[in-house]
Each structure stands twice: as structure tokens, then as C-alpha cells.
Amino acid sequence: MKPTEKSTASPSVSLGYVILYVKDVAASLTFYETAFGLTRRFFREDNGKGYGELETGAARVAFLTIEIANAHSKHEFVPASLDKAPPAFEIAFVTLDVAALYARAVKAGAAPVSEPAAKPWGQIVATVRDNVGHVVELCTPLP
């Protein structure tokens, strides 16, 4: 294709990262490792500003310090907080044993939101808030 030609084909797209803006990347990485059993893939910090990723399958959960996020935007981001209403999104971790992962997360300090329950569509679902207030759903695969 020539540089001036436009393709009409749909681009191939896949989810690569979900990046949560936090005040302390190291603390969030450690919490997710302990609460959900995830493995650290990458972490770099310089003068309190950092970025880190966890292995979560095809897409990764990542954390970026709020200062870096704000420096790259015209808008100021507001960090999640357990003292405030949660942000209007959630991340979901799929597991075959929701009850065990829920218990592990709560033991590690996650704030319980809803205990594991069977849903009409066939999933078992529980919800917690992480160490800084993001909503995390724990669920079985869709039938």
C-alpha cells in the first residue's frame, strides 16, 4: 500500500494492558501478588515514580504512578481511595475457585464488597476493593 492510500480494512486489535494509576506502584504490585497470586512481570521506579506489570494471561494488569499519568495529560487524574466512592469501572479476574480467591484477597487486606454468589447467567461472582479502592471482580468463566 502506498503511504497516501488509506486502508478500509478493520485493524486487528487486542487488549494489551489495563493500567491503574496509583500513588505507590510497589505497594500495589505487592498487594496484587499477595491477594490474587499474580506474578510480577516488570517493575521500574525512579525517585518514587514508577511503572509495573503483572502476568494475567493475554492482557496484563499494570500500575503507573499518578504523577507520571498527570504529567502526560492535560487533565488531572484523581487516585482511587477506600474513603471515597470507587471509580466507575472494575477489573475482573477469572478463576475456577472464586470462594478460595475471595478468601485469599480478604485475608491479604482487600475490602469485601460482595461475597461469592451464583448469578442467573451461570457464573459465580464476588467483588472486593483493592488496597487503594479499585473494584476487583472475581468470577468463574462464562458458561
Side-chain angles (χ1 to χ4, degrees), residues 111-133:
V113 175
S114 64
E115 294 184 358
K119 298 298 181 182
W121 54 88
Q123 279 183 299
I124 305 294
V125 176
T127 311
V128 297
R129 290 182 73 184
D130 71 9
N131 60 317
V132 298

Side-chain angles (χ1 to χ4, degrees), residues 20 22 26-39 54 56 61 63 91 93 104 129-136:
L20 304 177
V22 297
S28 289
L29 288 169
T30 299
F31 175 80
Y32 274 67
E33 289 167 328
T34 305
F36 306 113
L38 300 176
T39 302
L54 296 164
T56 54
V61 171
F63 302 93
I91 60 172
F93 293 131
R104 177 182 180 149
R129 290 182 73 184
D130 71 9
N131 60 317
V132 298
H134 296 110
V135 176
V136 180

Side-chain angles (χ1 to χ4, degrees), residues 51-133:
Y51 175 80
E53 296 178 0
L54 296 164
E55 290 289 354
T56 54
R60 294 182 188 96
V61 171
F63 302 93
L64 179 71
T65 51
I66 196 107
E67 293 84 5
I68 295 174
N70 284 335
H72 294 191
S73 176
K74 293 180 182 178
H75 305 284
E76 183 175 345
F77 294 101
V78 178
S81 171
L82 287 166
D83 298 331
K84 297 179 184 176
F89 71 90
E90 67 182 28
I91 60 172
F93 293 131
V94 178
T95 180
L96 295 176
D97 193 344
V98 172
L101 189 57
Y102 176 83
R104 177 182 180 149
V106 171
K107 183 178 179 183
V113 175
S114 64
E115 294 184 358
K119 298 298 181 182
W121 54 88
Q123 279 183 299
I124 305 294
V125 176
T127 311
V128 297
R129 290 182 73 184
D130 71 9
N131 60 317
V132 298

Side-chain angles (χ1 to χ4, degrees), residues 4 6 9 14 19 22-23 25 41 44 47 50 98 111-112 116 129-130 140:
T4 56
K6 291 186 180 180
S14 64
I19 303 173
V22 297
K23 292 180 181 177
V25 171
R41 180 178 186 277
R44 177 169 167 82
N47 294 318
V98 172
R129 290 182 73 184
D130 71 9
T140 53

